């Protein structure tokens, strides 16, 4: 199957923050966008919808945090619920889930290796995880 040209937005859903990344229209490179604070009032979903609209994204890739055995637990259920909330906000938008095992660990290690201090890493680790999710998805589409 040929993947249509256009930007995708990736989301790393956490209980406190949501990392967001976007790719170029040709689907070659993922880059960080921002970290959104989770909110019970739905403002996090609204902000993500704004980003998707701003970048004219044709699809969303949500990280699905499976266990190391490949099973889905409470974090996976939370990511799927987040996806349903987003789908309700944005009609006709393609939403896919992509296995994100260890992306946060990988992102944290990469930030540490590049000299980012742990106290500053919290602000960008969720974005870096979203980049890893999207880049993995893009590479798998080729």
């Amino acid at each position: 199957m040929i993947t249509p040209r256009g930007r995708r937005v990736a989301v790393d859903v956490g209980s406190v923050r949501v990392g967001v990344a976007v790719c170029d229209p040709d689907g070659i490179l993922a880059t960080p966008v921002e970290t959104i604070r989770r909110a019970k009032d739905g403002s996090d979903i609204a902000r993500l919808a704004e980003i998707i609209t701003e970048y004219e994204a044709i699809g969303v890739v949500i990280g699905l945090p499976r266990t190391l055995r490949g099973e889905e637990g409470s974090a996976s259920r939370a990511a799927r619920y987040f996806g349903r909330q987003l789908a309700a906000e944005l009609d006709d938008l393609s939403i896919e889930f992509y296995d994100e095992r260890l992306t946060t660990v990988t992102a944290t290690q990469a930030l540490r290796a590049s000299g980012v201090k742990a106290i500053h890493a919290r602000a960008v680790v969720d974005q870096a995880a979203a980049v890893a999710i999207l880049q993995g998805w893009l590479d798998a589409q080729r």
Side-chain angles (χ1 to χ4, degrees):
M1 182 179 107
I2 297 175
T3 304
R5 187 175 188 279
R7 292 183 187 271
R8 273 36 173 226
V9 169
V11 183
D12 176 49
V13 180
S15 59
V16 177
R17 292 175 300 275
V18 176
V20 183
V22 68
C23 70
D24 60 285
D26 293 319
I28 296 170
L29 185 64
T31 55
V33 175
E34 81 178 61
T35 301
I36 302 169
R37 198 115 183 98
R38 291 299 303 268
K40 292 184 193 297
D41 66 359
S43 59
D44 52 347
I45 297 286
R47 176 61 189 134
L48 182 57
E50 288 173 4
I51 292 169
I52 292 164
T53 301
E54 175 184 333
Y55 282 95
E56 299 176 346
I58 65 166
V60 176
V61 179
I62 298 176
L64 190 62
R66 298 178 187 264
T67 66
L68 292 178
R69 286 194 272 180
E71 299 167 351
E72 291 191 20
S74 61
S76 293
R77 286 189 294 278
R80 288 191 184 279
Y81 178 71
F82 189 90
R84 286 191 301 274
Q85 289 179 300
L86 185 60
E89 185 78 17
L90 296 167
D91 294 332
D92 300 327
L93 185 71
S94 166
I95 296 180
E96 293 184 48
F97 293 90
Y98 185 75
D99 188 353
E100 66 145 288
R101 274 179 271 189
L102 303 178
T103 54
T104 301
V105 172
T106 304
T108 303
Q109 290 172 342
L111 289 169
R112 191 174 299 135
S114 67
V116 177
K117 302 275 187 226
I119 193 154
H120 302 295
R122 277 190 224 133
V124 294
V125 73
D126 299 298
Q127 291 175 44
V131 167
I133 291 164
L134 186 53
Q135 196 63 56
W137 184 87
L138 291 169
D139 293 346
Q141 300 306 302
R142 289 193 196 105

